[in-house]
Amino acid sequence: MPKMHTLRRSLRETFGLDALRPGQAEVIQSVLGGRDTLAIMPTGAGKSLCYQLPALHLEGTTIIVSPLIALMKDQTDKLLELGLEAVQVNSTVTGRREAEVLRRIGENRSDFVFTTPERLAEPEFLATLRGTEIDFVVIDEAHCISQWGHDFRPSYLALRQAVKELGDPPVLALTATATEEVVEDIGRQLGRPDMRLFRTGIYRPNLRLAVEHVSGDEEKRAVLVKLLEDHAGTGIVYTATVRHVEDVTRFLQGEGFEVEGYHGRQAAGRRRAAQDRFMDGELRAMVATNAFGLGIDKADIRFVLHYDLPGSLEAYYQEAGRGGRDGDPAHCVLLYDGKDRRTQLFLMGGRYPGAEEVRAVYTALQAAGSDSGGIPLARLQEALPGVARNKTRVVLAMLKEAGLARERRGARFAPGAKRADEPALDRLASAYQERGEHDREKLERMEAYARTAYCRWTALHEWFGEEMPVTRCGACDNCRKGLAELAGKPA
């Protein structure tokens, strides 16, 4: 294992940094020691360096799995600028370029390979990787593998088998948020219950947390305008739905603010153009769903405003945490209207499949047969007019995990080696019902945060099971109000 002075030299000469941030050295040493590691570090704490630095001192290729193609490109470009060998393998890389990338990987000429969980599960890509020396696998946004996480993604469930097929190299899992329940589930889903755990703590004293209680859209919009007038700099306004993105964007533009909207249903070109304007400082704010923010490397976001109630404290903390990555103060304000609960309950209702939908997908897949190369997802969906596309994907991931379905190259699916009767399918569906109930509990905790009269940072620490480093933050709206009352002054 390289000595610390060797690592510091690489830190200075390659990355232009003088010192590691709190927690980074411990994670890096664990990775270099070949230990399975789970690092929970807030946004802006330097998670990327925790795999980039040790990778320079190991012989093989480092595989980085991420759900965010935009982040992959950003990280790949930065490593290339530093003179390091890095490639990305995802849906944006096709044809001759993809063939060249795969050849470079096969010849052990890439230090870093960024890819998606879907691509890593493909047999052909795994075959290419098996011909290389892999030092360790990085799983970014690791909370996505947990059924109890706030952003569960079925595609992550295939990672355990994919890593096994690569010869079981050590794993570094990274996330900004994880309750004890999620930590345990990450280890279980990866088949690595003894992962070495590092928490650097969620507390970021430069984030000034606050809640504005409003009633109805008219008051909510008036408060939003005042917040934009009161806070300088560039920021983000988060909404819960695509419709609210478009409505709020039009409203703010009508009020004279330079804003753009951003959501997953927009054309890719439009999203890129809006993101470029935001990164260049041309916008007052980006109005967006949670599709915006992950992997956005802008350190000087001065405010994060939540127009709608998020579904959980994990989601709220991760989104609010995109502010103030430069260490300067950032204002994180939630506009709370009790009626927003209905929006989240509606979204939850469309998230998980019921027993009838599970049976419908399984039956359609069995009817497709297993002799051919599998049925394309689009054609399978045509046989399921009563099942939403996102639910079809969730059911397919669940069937794959249970050995009842197989995925082949090009998003084609075939029946698995196992067969299931109706009671077995009902049991699979009941697991999703349990997840729905858990989501409702998290929504209640989110509302409790919005209504509390105590220190908001303390409330967050209690939810994440961490000790607050100070008695009260002294900077959130409730703490400021308490201090003002003690001093006999208005808050």
Side-chain angles (χ1 to χ4, degrees), residues 22 42-43 200-210 302 317 320-321 323-332 455-458 460-461 468-470 472-477 479-480:
T43 301
T200 60
I202 65 169
Y203 187 45
R204 293 178 57 196
N206 65 313
L207 299 187
R208 308 297 167 80
L209 304 179
R302 297 274 66 91
Y317 174 75
R325 289 178 58 183
D326 54 6
D328 291 338
H331 295 272
C332 306
C455 172
R456 298 200 189 277
W457 273 113
T458 298
L460 284 172
H461 278 75
M468 182 77 170
V470 293
R472 294 172 70 90
C473 74
C476 74
D477 55 342
C479 284
R480 292 198 309 272

Side-chain angles (χ1 to χ4, degrees), residues 75-254:
Q75 294 286 359
T76 302
D77 290 346
K78 287 183 177 178
L79 289 170
L80 290 172
E81 288 172 9
L82 294 172
L84 302 174
E85 293 289 338
V87 296
Q88 55 177 328
V89 181
N90 54 51
S91 59
T92 68
V93 184
T94 57
R96 185 178 300 174
R97 175 58 184 160
E98 181 180 84
E100 168 64 15
V101 166
L102 294 176
R103 186 176 62 79
R104 291 176 68 85
I105 294 171
E107 294 173 354
N108 284 296
R109 292 172 56 196
S110 295
D111 296 322
F112 301 90
V113 176
F114 292 84
T115 192
T116 60
E118 293 89 350
R119 191 63 191 271
L120 189 64
E122 291 183 357
E124 293 87 348
F125 186 44
L126 283 170
T128 299
L129 292 174
R130 277 197 296 271
T132 68
E133 181 183 355
I134 297 172
D135 44 36
F136 64 102
V137 175
V138 181
I139 299 176
D140 203 8
E141 308 299 338
H143 59 273
C144 293
I145 202 173
S146 172
Q147 62 174 328
W148 308 120
H150 71 279
D151 192 18
F152 170 64
R153 302 196 183 202
S155 59
Y156 266 63
L157 295 176
L159 291 178
R160 176 177 179 174
Q161 181 61 31
V163 174
K164 185 177 180 180
E165 291 187 29
L166 293 176
D168 265 333
V171 168
L172 169 61
L174 299 169
T175 182
T177 57
T179 60
E180 288 299 328
E181 189 176 37
V182 171
V183 166
E184 183 180 339
D185 200 31
I186 289 171
R188 182 169 54 249
Q189 297 291 357
L190 289 173
R192 295 161 191 262
D194 299 320
M195 299 183 83
R196 197 170 180 190
L197 175 64
F198 295 93
R199 288 182 185 269
T200 60
I202 65 169
Y203 187 45
R204 293 178 57 196
N206 65 313
L207 299 187
R208 308 297 167 80
L209 304 179
V211 176
E212 292 280 353
H213 290 255
V214 296
S215 179
D217 288 343
E218 187 174 339
E219 184 180 359
K220 185 182 279 190
R221 289 184 173 191
V223 171
L224 178 61
V225 167
K226 187 175 189 310
L227 288 169
L228 287 171
E229 290 172 343
D230 290 348
H231 298 307
T234 300
I236 306 173
V237 179
Y238 278 113
T239 76
T241 66
V242 167
R243 184 171 66 84
H244 277 182
V245 166
E246 294 174 346
D247 290 349
V248 173
T249 300
R250 281 193 297 269
F251 167 73
L252 290 177
Q253 288 172 343

Side-chain angles (χ1 to χ4, degrees), residues 285-356:
M286 184 76 87
V287 183
T289 61
N290 61 6
F292 181 77
L294 283 170
I296 301 302
D297 190 14
K298 186 170 176 61
D300 60 345
I301 294 174
R302 297 274 66 91
F303 58 87
V304 180
L305 312 178
H306 277 78
Y307 186 81
D308 295 316
L309 183 75
S312 69
L313 281 171
E314 294 101 309
Y316 179 69
Y317 174 75
Q318 192 158 49
E319 290 160 13
R322 285 160 198 157
R325 289 178 58 183
D326 54 6
D328 291 338
H331 295 272
C332 306
V333 186
L334 166 66
L335 307 186
Y336 176 60
D337 184 339
K339 294 192 291 294
D340 288 347
R341 172 186 176 86
R342 290 182 300 199
T343 300
Q344 285 298 335
L345 288 174
F346 174 78
L347 294 173
M348 288 175 190
R351 189 171 299 160
Y352 300 123
E356 289 185 9

Side-chain angles (χ1 to χ4, degrees), residues 378-449:
R379 245 182 51 218
L380 181 65
Q381 190 65 54
E382 289 173 4
L384 298 163
V387 183
R389 188 182 181 89
N390 67 309
K391 289 188 178 181
T392 300
R393 287 185 177 277
V394 170
V395 174
L396 286 169
M398 178 177 61
L399 294 176
K400 280 167 54 185
E401 187 183 14
L404 301 171
R406 289 174 292 167
E407 183 173 1
R408 293 172 173 168
R409 185 170 174 83
R412 301 174 72 91
F413 295 87
K418 298 179 182 178
R419 303 271 301 196
D421 56 17
E422 200 162 293
L425 295 174
D426 289 345
R427 285 193 296 273
L428 287 175
S430 68
Y432 283 99
Q433 183 178 356
E434 188 179 352
R435 291 175 191 176
E437 291 169 358
H438 191 71
D439 283 353
R440 285 188 285 275
E441 291 173 9
K442 292 200 287 188
L443 178 60
E444 289 175 7
R445 193 61 178 255
M446 181 71 239
E447 288 193 283
Y449 167 88

